Amino acid sequence: MSAAPSELEREQAFLVHARAQLRRMRELAQSLDAAKASDAISAEALGAVLARRVASLQDDPRTTLFFGRIDLLEGIEGIGGRGLGLGASFHIGRRHVTDDAGDPVVVDWRAPVSTAFYRASTAEPMGVVRRRRFGVDHGRLTAFEDEILTRRPDAVLPGSLTTHGVERRRSALLAAEIERPRMGPMRDIVSTIQPEQDEIVRSDLGVTVCVQGAPGTGKTAVGLHRAAWLLYSFRSRLERSGVLVIGPNRAFLDHIGAVLPSLGEVRVEHATIESLLDHARVRASEAVDVAVLKGDPRLARVLERAVWNRVKRPEEPLIVPRGVRRWRVPAAEVSGIFDELRRRDVRYGTARDLLPQRLAHHVLLVMEKSGEITDDRVQDAVARSSPVRAYVKHLWPALDPAAVLHGLFSDPARLADAADGILDDDEQRLLLWRRPARSKGAARWTFADLALLDEVGDLLGRVGRHGHVVLDEAQDLSPMQLRAVGRRAGSGSLTVLGDIAQGTTPWSATSWTAAMSHLGKAEHDLVVLDRGFRVPAAVIDYAARLLPAIAPGLGAPRSVRENAGRLEVHAVAGDQLHSEVGAAVVQAAREPGSVGVIAPDAVVGALSADLAALGIRHGRLDRDASEPGDDDHQVVLVPATVAKGLEFDRTVVVEPAAIAAAEPDGRTGLRRLYVVLTRAVSETTIVHSLPLPAELGASPEASPGAD
């Protein structure tokens, strides 16, 4: 007689059943014929929908369809939308799987019933008797761990274990998943979302959320998972208007690019601020004080004047010959039309498009007073007539952003007219080109000019909007860049992610109140995440020594990991620096997981050559890297200016003082260093020949990690 299957074997059998049902759903979707649609356009649209449906039903054999389970009490209102008998359970996974009767086999982590998996506790069980987490290895269940949240004498649950009477203070499987070594792109965190993170993820579409998140708190993952939850909960609205994710650089976007597709969401746009504002080729650089001034929000008022100053006040009447008669609209009456269009607060280009019809309407009023018979066709003919078009062209010229900005920066009188009372004489001189370009096509635009071109473009005609925008590392954007992002959301909402302490631009934000105002979202929810799940205590405590200098008043983050990690600081002679870095990299690469070698930008090329000479294979994330597939390397060489938003299991940080000194001012340099020092998940080794910044204090002794 065979032994009864164990609880783990029963769960594994259920996983096999779930995979079979997912395969059935995929085969059904593949069998549907888009060609049977009523017309070609409908067939094309249906085909695209079916293709997305089939793609969303792919099974990844490296993982499981579910990572948790909740067992509920009877009649829980608001959970699952129906009363449930004692012992009813839901398996929680990355996508919804049903059987052939339509009953749930696996519930999507974004469904309302799944909220209890993330938020239930002994203090607030939310009707959950038991929460189960699964250990997974290569697509098979290897273990499970139960938490009993509600105790009832009559609660006899299927598969009860002797350990159910013990309530664990911390989930070992959860901790193991959070701290698991990783290589390649960022993974989703659906199995490890914490209650405070889940509250952000499930914030309503109409709410703009600003997350002040210390390193390792998961703010980037939270923002991406909120986008996935919104697309699930408000799909009909967001599929029309779209979701946009904006990150600090291309390496960062490559790092996070797999998260949303792994959650079944592929119709999300990704951009950096450079690609978002790609209005001209950047062909020049400029002094920091000029760039800071161009990012000042006062420039919005200057540009608005520069645009509307191009409208000339009418001094001559509009005269329209028609047949044997000439019809006349006095200049004063035309001025009234101009004023009415300005009061409507429409864009310059929209008002210009409306103007011919407005003028034609007044011509028709004159004609009707003389007894002429008119109709809409006559008005349209007058609006399209050469005299009206020439009159509009003279008084309300067509503009483009490059022409407006070229005229402003190359003509002192035009700039003085637009900036009067807004910028002083010295500030105006900073903006003027010393060698004016002959034409807008020859202009040597700078990076800061791109946000100004975007501002002018929006004054002329509305830019495209998205239903939701996720903005990461928001603290690094200038007020004018924030305005550009804000207008992409329009009346929609944003998820704004950042850390004031990690601001590494001369114009970086010093308060979220100001930054959110520039985004046009003064009304928002500010949430502070200070519990670090990824960065260990040894690393974050050392980096936090910089906080009093870079972000006075900002609380230090707290690592909640049981493994304190490891931190080592090696002082060496200058001629031994690169060999010592090589030795540290070899040591770090002996364990599974990724190794990031973060160095001053100026030495990346030389350091790469030295690592190669030592036989250390590595990828590079700088723009000069020639070897593709850097995510496939265990060791990656990272310029300090590209490190933001990335994470590695272990890091080797080269010359902290040089990293800080490369920035234009001391505070920005220390903030850059703070970013670099907080990229490790388990351990950091610092190798330096130059004295460490005084703010770091005495070098700590090596802190051994817990086994």
Side-chain angles (χ1 to χ4, degrees), residues 6 24 43 51 106 124 228 234 286 357 437 440 442 515 552 561 577 587 590 594 597 635 641 681 688:
S6 68
R24 177 191 58 79
V106 179
E124 188 65 41
F234 303 94
E286 58 199 348
Q357 286 289 339
K440 64 179 183 181
R561 293 179 49 169
L577 180 69
Q587 177 66 30
R590 287 176 178 170
S594 56
V597 184
V635 178
T641 57
V681 171
H688 69 100

Side-chain angles (χ1 to χ4, degrees), residues 660-685:
E663 300 297 329
D665 62 82
R667 175 178 287 191
T668 303
L670 292 178
R671 286 181 169 181
R672 178 73 69 189
L673 182 56
Y674 180 74
V675 171
V676 168
L677 291 175
T678 54
R679 299 304 97 197
V681 171
S682 59
E683 64 181 61
T684 291
T685 301

Side-chain angles (χ1 to χ4, degrees), residues 29 82 97 136 175 181 204 229 241 257 315 323 325 335 341 406 479 490 499 567 623 637:
R82 57 193 173 96
V97 180
V136 180
D204 188 80
W229 182 82
S241 54
E315 297 178 353
R325 303 193 62 176
S335 291
L341 289 173
H406 174 271
D499 181 7
L567 175 71
R623 292 189 176 92
L637 182 55

Side-chain angles (χ1 to χ4, degrees), residues 637-660:
L637 182 55
V638 186
T641 57
V642 181
K644 185 169 291 185
L646 306 180
E647 67 174 27
F648 305 90
D649 287 285
R650 288 167 295 282
T651 60
V652 177
V653 177
V654 183
E655 289 291 23
I659 289 173

Side-chain angles (χ1 to χ4, degrees), residues 19 136 154 260 284 430 464 630 665 697:
R19 286 207 146 109
V136 180
D154 59 338
L260 287 171
L430 281 177
D630 289 336
D665 62 82

